[in-house]
């Protein structure tokens, strides 16, 4: 093996062209999923305070946004509903004319090719803000399952292309798969938020979705940040229950977990570049402390390099623009 001075690693870094030839990982716009927050009401397009550049849309205001997303060639959106008048069991989550069910129909009509993925979780719809029904002061796993299945089915019936359970109940992938199959939706894939940590990086999202728990926290169902072996067990469980794509969330503080999952399982892997990760970049670049474009592309590349195939990110629109420009 040659060594210095015969070996000079800088030879392959001399120009943009040569760096491009030897580059090991690329982010492609085709890997990106853009989250959208849909609110009840009419004529609403309102920026979310804690997430500059991200908006609440009412269903009637979605069409223009969808046009932009398709023009940018972003292949998929992930829908979150924001509702008023919540109840204990999250009834609006599975109402046939709920805000998500209406959004799905509107989007599929405007852009039939755009993949519509829906978040399946009760926390945006329950008065207590937890991801399932409450019994004896805690979230009751088994009583939550039929409601999640009902919610996923109502999304499929409205035309969703894929459902993404994010609640972290045991057995929910199986319950959802059974409900979909029993109703003729055998070909609708499940993207399971298999490894979802109890993370403080969800802070801005909870403001955006109005889903902060009214008592306690989510630590009895979301994963404990120090654990990685447990992450593999979560993935294994969701695969056995029928998940088609698995996810690790958040992304940046968990790149090692993404790598471990990539090396252990041959399933498509998604990573969620969450709200807090987005807001940090926005805040620092607004102050002039970071170069937003460079930092965003570096972050997305790091998630790819860690092993993710799919990146869910609030940066998707700007990243799509930057990626399509000639360097
Ligand atoms: C719903 C859900 C959350 C996120 C996605 N789905 C919040 C939570 O679990 O509290 C977080 C997304 C983000 O922070 O961008 N359970």
């Amino acid at each position: 093996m040659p060594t210095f001075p015969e070996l000079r690693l800088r030879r392959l870094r001399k120009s943009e062209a040569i760096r491009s030839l030897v580059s090991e990982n690329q982010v492609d716009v085709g890997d990106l999923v853009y989250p959208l927050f849909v609110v009840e009401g009419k004529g609403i397009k309102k920026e979310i305070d804690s997430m500059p550049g991200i908006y609440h849309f009412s269903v009637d205001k979605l069409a223009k946004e969808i046009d932009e997303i398709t023009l940018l060639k972003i292949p998929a959106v992930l829908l979150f509903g924001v509702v008023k008048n919540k109840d204990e069991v999250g009834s609006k989550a599975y109402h046939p004319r709920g805000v998500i069910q209406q959004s799905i129909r509107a989007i599929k009509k405007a852009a039939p090719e755009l993949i519509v993925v829906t978040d399946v979780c009760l926390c945006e719809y329950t008065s207590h803000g937890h991801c399932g029904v409450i019994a004896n002061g805690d979230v009751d796993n088994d009583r939550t399952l039929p409601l999640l299945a009902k919610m996923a089915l109502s999304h499929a019936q409205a035309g969703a292309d894929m459902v993404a359970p994010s609640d972290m109940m045991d057995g929910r992938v199986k319950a959802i798969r059974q409900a979909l199959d029993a109703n003729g939706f055998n070909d609708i894939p499940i993207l399971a938020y298999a490894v979802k940590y109890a993370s403080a990086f969800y802070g801005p999202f909870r403001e955006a979705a109005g889903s902060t728990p009214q008592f306690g926290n989510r630590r009895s169902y979301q994963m404990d940040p120090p654990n990685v072996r447990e992450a593999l067990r979560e993935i294994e469980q969701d695969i056995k229950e029928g998940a088609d794509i698995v996810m690790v969330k958040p992304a940046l503080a968990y790149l090692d977990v993404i790598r471990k999952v990539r090396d252990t399982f041959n399933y498509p892997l998604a990573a969620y570049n969450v709200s807090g990760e987005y807001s940090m970049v926005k805040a620092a670049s607004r102050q002039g402390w970071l170069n937003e474009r460079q930092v965003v592309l570096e972050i997305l590349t790091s998630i790819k390099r860690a092993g993710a195939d799919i990146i869910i990110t609030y940066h998707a629109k700007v990243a799509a623009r930057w990626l399509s420009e000639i360097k």
Side-chain angles (χ1 to χ4, degrees):
M1 283 242 248
T3 181
F4 180 83
E6 291 76 28
L7 175 71
R8 290 181 184 271
L9 291 169
R10 288 182 56 188
R11 281 180 200 130
L12 299 183
R13 295 181 199 140
K14 259 192 306 204
S15 67
E16 186 61 43
I18 202 156
R19 289 193 292 272
S20 162
L21 271 184
V22 300
S23 134
E24 300 175 33
N25 292 287
Q26 286 88 27
V27 181
D28 187 89
V29 62
D31 306 327
L32 305 180
V33 179
Y34 189 56
L36 281 176
F37 294 96
V38 195
V39 297
E40 295 172 325
K42 278 209 167 78
I44 301 165
K45 178 184 176 187
K46 188 174 179 296
E47 194 169 31
I48 297 162
D49 286 343
S50 56
M51 302 179 72
I54 303 295
Y55 295 80
H56 279 152
F57 290 97
S58 51
V59 177
D60 59 321
K61 286 281 194 178
L62 277 174
K64 195 160 161 271
E65 183 73 359
I66 294 300
D67 276 353
E68 264 184 56
I69 292 167
T70 48
L71 270 175
L72 289 165
K73 301 197 163 44
I74 295 169
V77 291
L78 173 60
L79 302 185
F80 294 97
V82 186
V83 302
K84 296 185 216 92
N85 305 323
K86 308 176 185 196
D87 62 23
E88 290 275 306
V89 291
S91 304
K92 285 192 171 178
Y94 32 86
H95 194 287
R97 287 183 310 283
V99 70
I100 289 300
Q101 291 77 1
Q102 289 182 45
S103 312
I104 299 166
R105 288 188 209 102
I107 296 172
K108 290 312 290 183
K109 204 166 150 198
E113 301 300 319
L114 183 68
I115 300 166
V116 175
V117 189
T118 57
D119 186 80
V120 176
C121 186
L122 296 181
C123 66
E124 296 129 63
Y125 306 90
T126 51
S127 44
H128 44 74
H130 276 288
C131 301
V133 290
I134 303 294
N136 307 318
D138 196 9
V139 174
D140 187 315
N141 192 88
D142 298 12
R143 280 178 50 202
T144 300
L145 299 181
L147 302 185
L148 294 168
K150 207 165 148 183
M151 181 178 183
L153 180 59
S154 78
H155 293 171
Q157 284 165 338
D161 298 295
M162 197 184 295
V163 292
S166 71
D167 52 283
M168 289 300 277
M169 298 303 120
D170 289 309
R172 92 282 205 204
V173 173
K174 188 175 186 179
I176 290 171
R177 188 71 269 160
Q178 282 172 348
L180 292 176
D181 289 0
N183 288 276
F185 294 103
N186 316 55
D187 57 352
I188 299 291
I190 298 176
L191 191 177
Y193 286 67
V195 178
K196 179 172 177 185
Y197 287 93
S199 169
F201 284 100
Y202 308 149
F205 173 95
R206 290 185 189 167
E207 190 192 312
S211 64
T212 307
Q214 298 303 301
F215 66 90
N217 53 51
R218 304 208 201 290
R219 301 185 78 90
S220 77
Y221 44 104
Q222 298 182 346
M223 272 190 61
D224 203 19
N227 296 355
V228 62
R229 291 193 300 266
E230 187 187 353
L232 300 181
R233 298 181 71 201
E234 281 285 358
I235 300 268
E236 197 179 308
Q237 163 166 282
D238 281 8
I239 287 175
K240 281 189 180 149
E241 288 184 21
D244 300 281
I245 304 175
V246 290
M247 190 201 296
V248 172
K249 173 183 175 193
L252 291 186
Y254 301 88
L255 291 174
D256 59 317
V257 182
I258 296 174
R259 169 48 53 195
K260 191 84 185 168
V261 171
R262 169 74 296 142
D263 289 344
T264 313
F265 299 96
N266 292 320
Y267 270 66
L269 175 59
Y272 200 139
N273 178 213
V274 300
S275 58
E277 300 171 342
Y278 173 84
S279 300
M280 288 194 303
V281 170
K282 293 303 274 191
S285 32
R286 286 193 157 194
Q287 293 281 339
W289 294 340
L290 287 177
N291 177 318
E292 183 176 354
R293 174 180 174 144
Q294 289 173 359
V295 165
V296 166
L297 294 176
E298 186 174 336
I299 284 174
L300 298 179
T301 304
S302 77
I303 299 171
K304 276 306 287 264
R305 195 188 59 237
D309 305 298
I310 300 166
I311 307 175
I312 302 167
T313 180
Y314 303 98
H315 298 295
K317 279 171 61 185
V318 285
R321 277 196 197 96
W322 294 329
L323 290 168
S324 65
E325 283 169 15
I326 313 260
K327 273 193 225 132

